[in-house]
Amino acid sequence: MTHLVPLSRRFFITSGLSAAGGLAIGLALPGRADALAIDAAPWASITDVKAAEINAWILIEPDDSVTIRVAQSEMGEGIFTALPMIVAEELECDWTKVRAEYAEAHRNLVDGHPYGRMGTGGSGAVRRSREFLQQAGASARVRLIAAAAQQWAVPAGDCSARDGKVTHAASQRWLGYGALAGAAAKIALAEEPAIKTPDQFRLIGQPQARFDTPVKVNGQAKFGIDTRIDGMVYAAVTTCPVFGGTVRHVDDSKVRGRRGIRQIVPIPGGIAVVADSFWRAKQAVADLVITWDEGAGAGTDSDQFRKEYRDTLDGPAANAKHAGDVTAALAKAAKKVDALYEAPHVAHAAMEPLNATVHIQGDRLDAWMGTQDPDGALQRAAKAAGMKPEQVFIHNCFLGGGFGRRAINDELEQAVIVAKAVGKPVKLVWTREEDMQHDRYRPQAAIRFKAGLGTDGMPVAWDMRTAVGSISRSLGRDPVASGVEPSAVEGLSNVPYAVANLNVDCILKNTHVPVMFWRSVGSSQNAFALESFVDEMAVAAGKDPYRFRRELLAGKPDFLKVLDTLAEKGDWSKKLPAGQGRGIAIHESFGTIVGEIVEVSVSPKGEVKVPRVVAVVDCGHVVNPRTVEMQIESAVIYGLTAALYGEITIKDGRVQEANFDAYEMVRFADAPVIETYLALSGGTKWGGIGEPGTPPIAPALCNAIFAATGKRIRSLPIKNTDLSGRA
């Protein structure tokens, strides 16, 4: 369970002393207070007996070093640098002396959830915590100033803080934060200070090198799969190849008594083999002869699913949005346009396969892993072990890719079960094949549009209907009684284009294939369909796709700023040679608008090359511009992979793709030049950045292919469409 606790500014008024005599800002709690630099593991040391003082967010030590705790998971999105920047902006410390470490899920549980939401997803790390992180830094700064003023017997208003020291201008005296920390910790503020507005920022908005880059480059960074514990054993697993199936019988005669094999342990839906090395465990798993009860999913296949999703579009639906009279407007339209778009299941395909290391000692359980939800992992481990949540300690590592998959930790439950059975610390690792074939995938979807155009070529009516897998139902979280799941209709029900008569219907349809959050969630398949169809309407109207969108976005200055910047930077008006084309798409998700132009070349044999992608971003404000650029590049490559190649196919109820030979990635040699530009609207807007770059890439690419070949792609992945010759 993830606990959502409202954090007020007043919350940060409490403070305490660190064990080293420094300042602990944020909360007076018992425990350790020694900061740990990012040199190997991102977590803090934890002991059974807590020290006398501890804080929630900030430690200031006598040597003026500052440790800032990070309550979100670092999986490449740069929050291990961005979130400390927010605190440091208000603290006015010396940025070169700042270190970062993970906040502790155990502390969050037992001390009243001082970190609030520790789950990382929905591009929410900055936008959901920025204000209270600013407040933590501001509160610390004001206490430091007050401590110096007391020591000098001068008004606090005559003192200022900058670069890790407090200065009294009149006397030219100054003291470093470390010298003031102990006294500052004893000061209680009558009220919390105001936090800075964006026009006052000095650090936020400036490009900074990421804290985690050096240790990831030199190999020191500790990912979950790097965990080593004295005396640990290794576990490999296999589960029923048909989702929902169970073990009927196991013949372990080929494995029993083999060198290094310690134990065979039943797990939900499968078997784990424990050995003195992972290789031996893996080989033994392969030699088990298992008879499966494949369950209700046996015999199904992808072609069947595609037909079912298409047919479902003609059945009953729940309404997500309705405006005007679509039926009447369609009947009177000068021209009608309709199309059906389809998106398959796709895998998360993180480079680090799922893994967890668990050590159970009496009434304590320690787990080392990379998780997007430390709070949820703690609860999941406690349930699997039959222990109290307070007895569980999650040591979160760097994540070798998350993309939503590491928000639900199936591997942790398995590792706990095995560790209980063998009585030793266990490192459980999924093989690439297990990871690929037992993922929780992006939902399959079929999306149908009908539009009516007026005599001026602009749409007067638009009907949208989607049939898509429910993530909430698949996870068992919510039956979605309304029939409308927000992620299923995101990007559709909040379509930015001005159409007077609009209808959006939703049909939630699940198969035995488990589905879950995938980078950009519903916006992924919905933006592909919607932005491709916008191009279809533009072509039917005889209008330029950029200018067609511009007319539909009249009165939306933030969208127009992104769109116009995109057309300029992306050379929209310049012609390309035959066989080449440009495509455009724009989409808002997670509070951020991203527009993208893709340049593509298609050979006479149908080979697709993407030499250039231009992206323009409006997330309101930016903490670290370098992170924005990196995340857009990452999102583009991730989305290109899915658009060009991504497809999980089912045969006889089983996933066919097992590794990267069958589930292809965009390679370095094929990666485009990616240009990222900011067109920030400012104001009160703070959008996310980890996911919004993914949705526009598939439609922009498909629109570019149409411009180059005259062939319209309505079903992903592109590899399944014959693009040879010309339309």
Side-chain angles (χ1 to χ4, degrees), residues 72 77 79 83 117 120-121 123-130:
Q72 307 294 293
E77 79 279 37
I79 55 89
L83 298 189
R117 170 190 180 272
T120 305
S123 298
V126 168
R127 63 195 178 109
R128 290 175 179 161
S129 57
R130 172 196 56 85

Side-chain angles (χ1 to χ4, degrees), residues 550-698:
R550 208 178 188 290
E551 288 187 61
L552 285 172
L553 292 169
K556 294 184 179 291
D558 50 353
F559 273 89
L560 290 174
K561 185 177 181 180
V562 170
L563 192 63
D564 291 342
T565 305
L566 181 63
E568 176 193 351
K569 300 295 185 182
D571 301 319
W572 181 257
S573 61
K574 294 183 180 179
K575 291 185 178 181
L576 290 170
Q580 299 181 34
R582 286 192 187 91
I584 192 169
I586 188 169
H587 187 77
E588 181 176 23
S589 59
F590 306 98
T592 294
I593 302 167
V594 178
E596 291 173 0
I597 284 178
V598 172
E599 292 182 2
V600 69
S601 66
V602 183
S603 74
K605 294 182 179 180
E607 299 166 323
V608 177
K609 299 292 184 183
V610 182
R612 183 187 184 210
V613 175
V614 178
V616 177
V617 181
D618 176 22
C619 51
H621 298 279
V622 168
V623 175
N624 189 351
R626 287 188 181 179
T627 297
V628 173
E629 186 175 1
M630 291 176 182
Q631 282 301 286
I632 292 297
E633 291 171 352
S634 168
V636 164
I637 295 297
Y638 199 74
L640 273 179
T641 289
L644 289 166
Y645 315 117
E647 181 182 34
I648 289 295
T649 56
I650 306 296
K651 183 178 180 181
D652 295 328
R654 307 177 178 210
V655 173
Q656 298 303 290
E657 293 75 21
N659 212 315
F660 290 128
D661 59 337
Y663 197 85
E664 192 173 350
M665 301 279 114
V666 169
R667 312 295 177 93
F668 276 122
D670 300 319
V673 173
I674 303 171
E675 303 170 25
T676 302
Y677 301 93
L678 298 176
L680 303 178
S681 56
T684 60
K685 179 176 180 176
W686 288 83
I689 201 60
E691 294 165 285
T694 298
I697 193 65

Side-chain angles (χ1 to χ4, degrees), residues 451-493:
L453 307 182
T455 55
D456 61 353
M458 301 307 293
V460 295
W462 196 349
D463 183 75
M464 311 181 190
R465 178 168 279 224
T466 179
V468 63
S470 165
I471 294 172
S472 293
R473 290 177 182 175
S474 184
L475 292 174
R477 290 181 173 179
D478 185 351
V480 197
S482 69
V484 178
E485 187 168 279
S487 63
V489 294
E490 66 182 37
L492 302 179
S493 60

